[in-house]
């Protein structure tokens, strides 16, 4: 199928998300509430313990706000539809259509994410009335941040696709998915910067893990923990994990497609 068709899938997903207006307001309101609570928490922690790992309090608050905005972007789990289709057996119908199912799901996820980005704008503006948000250190850092978020989106999609593809064999992955989401939240730098972990081999392992590509790399670029001379290397590690996870996800999908298991059938 031509590329234009997948672009149309993305446009339809964007329009579909726009129909849930109440969800938009509730999500922005949720972000603002968490910004206030987390800013209060980190302010008190810094007052009691002082600066940690070279991250000042203003940088930490900026880190927290941006992490919450990235939650909106990465929170779009378009691959869940694959899990439902496999469980219902309707995935067999999709296999007969002249489309690439993983590419269709990616297009649909991209459309949903595009709408999520629009939600980030008012959330960011309104958050600035609650806390001070530091700008990126330079224009180059701003562009590197955007590139890092884009690659992180791809990494997140392939992780979701791998989890959804496992449904070919297990039919239900809810428990495993919750466990993976918790591990990802902890090891990606979403909850706590990875620089707060004890220095040594463990920290280096975490900083170069696929989970770090989601939050740690883009947020570190924004607050200046990753310097301009390190941009290419950091983005290169992200791209490596995106390629590796992508290759594994597509291979696993191919195996699952050849071994379609319909529940109850």
């Amino acid at each position: 199928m031509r590329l234009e068709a997948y672009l149309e899938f993305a446009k339809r997903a964007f329009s579909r998300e726009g129909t849930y207006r109440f969800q938009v307001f509730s999500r922005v309101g949720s972000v603002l509430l968490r910004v206030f609570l987390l800013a209060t928490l980190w302010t008190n922690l810094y007052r009691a313990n002082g600066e940690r790992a070279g991250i000042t309090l203003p940088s930490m608050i900026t880190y927290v706000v941006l992490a919450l905005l990235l939650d909106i972007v990465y929170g779009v789990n378009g691959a869940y539809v694959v899990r439902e289709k496999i469980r219902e057996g309707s995935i067999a119908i999709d296999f007969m259509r002249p489309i690439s199912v993983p590419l269709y799901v990616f297009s649909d996820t991209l459309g949903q994410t595009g709408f999520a980005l629009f939600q980030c704008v008012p959330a960011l503006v309104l958050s600035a009335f609650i806390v001070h948000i530091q700008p990126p250190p330079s224009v180059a850092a701003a562009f590197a941040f955007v590139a890092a978020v884009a690659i992180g989106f791809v990494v997140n999609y392939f992780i979701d696709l791998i989890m959804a593809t496992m449904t070919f064999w297990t039919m239900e992955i809810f428990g495993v998915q919750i466990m993976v989401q918790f591990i990802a939240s902890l090891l990606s730098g979403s909850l706590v910067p990875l620089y707060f972990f004890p220095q040594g081999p463990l920290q280096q392992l975490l900083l170069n893990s696929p989970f770090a590509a989601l939050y740690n790399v883009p947020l570190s670029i924004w607050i200046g923990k990753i310097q301009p001379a390190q941009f290419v290397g950091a983005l290169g590690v992200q791209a490596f994990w995106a390629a590796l996870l992508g290759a594994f996800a597509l291979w696993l999908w191919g195996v699952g497609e050849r071994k379609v298991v319909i529940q109850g059938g």
Side-chain angles (χ1 to χ4, degrees):
M1 181 174 286
R2 297 174 61 183
L3 181 61
E4 289 80 0
Y6 296 103
L7 293 177
E8 186 61 30
F9 291 147
K11 291 178 182 178
R12 290 181 180 179
F14 184 93
S15 300
R16 184 180 68 244
E17 290 299 301
T19 61
Y20 304 103
R21 297 181 180 178
F22 177 77
Q23 184 178 0
V24 174
F25 292 110
S26 63
R27 182 171 293 176
V28 173
S30 174
V31 169
L32 296 178
L33 177 60
R34 285 183 288 168
V35 164
F36 173 76
L37 294 176
L38 288 174
T40 301
L41 172 64
W42 282 108
T43 297
N44 289 323
L45 287 174
Y46 264 68
R47 284 175 179 173
N49 301 289
E51 182 179 312
R52 299 296 302 273
I55 301 178
T56 63
L57 177 59
S59 294
M60 188 65 232
I61 292 178
T62 300
Y63 185 103
V64 167
V65 173
L66 295 178
L68 291 174
L69 296 181
L70 287 181
D71 281 343
I72 298 178
V73 176
Y74 296 150
V76 176
N77 184 6
Y80 82 94
V81 68
V82 173
R83 183 184 67 211
E84 297 303 317
K85 283 178 175 290
I86 294 174
R87 293 181 60 190
E88 296 169 358
S90 60
I91 191 68
I93 299 176
D94 290 321
F95 287 156
M96 294 186 289
R97 293 172 176 167
I99 63 171
S100 166
V101 177
L103 189 54
Y104 159 72
V105 174
F106 180 80
S107 302
D108 191 82
T109 303
L110 192 62
Q112 295 181 62
T113 303
F115 188 80
L117 288 173
F118 276 92
Q119 300 176 57
C120 290
V121 175
L124 178 61
V125 172
L126 294 174
S127 295
F129 287 98
I130 302 175
V131 297
H132 173 67
I133 303 174
Q134 293 181 325
S138 64
V139 175
F143 280 107
F145 171 80
V146 173
V149 171
I151 301 174
F153 166 77
V154 175
V155 171
N156 187 65
Y157 167 74
F158 282 129
I159 292 175
D160 287 341
L161 183 61
I162 290 171
M163 295 300 301
T165 303
M166 290 175 60
T167 315
F168 277 119
W169 293 272
T170 64
M171 291 300 176
E172 181 54 66
I173 61 168
F174 180 75
V176 176
Q177 189 172 20
I178 293 297
M179 181 180 66
V180 172
Q181 288 176 347
F182 173 77
I183 294 174
S185 297
L186 182 63
L187 303 185
S188 65
S190 170
L191 300 177
V192 178
L194 298 182
Y195 304 103
F196 287 0
F197 283 81
Q199 293 184 353
L202 175 61
Q203 187 188 76
Q204 291 302 313
L205 180 64
L206 295 178
L207 290 174
N208 291 283
S209 73
F211 298 117
L214 303 177
Y215 289 87
N216 182 74
V217 174
L219 297 180
S220 296
I221 290 174
W222 186 287
I223 66 174
K225 287 294 288 183
I226 294 180
Q227 299 297 315
Q230 301 171 307
F231 287 169
V232 174
L235 295 175
V237 173
Q238 272 190 304
F240 166 78
W241 284 117
L244 185 63
L245 289 171
F248 178 73
L250 295 178
W251 171 80
L252 189 65
W253 177 267
V255 174
E257 186 174 350
R258 291 190 295 270
K259 186 182 179 182
V260 176
V261 178
I262 301 177
Q263 193 172 18

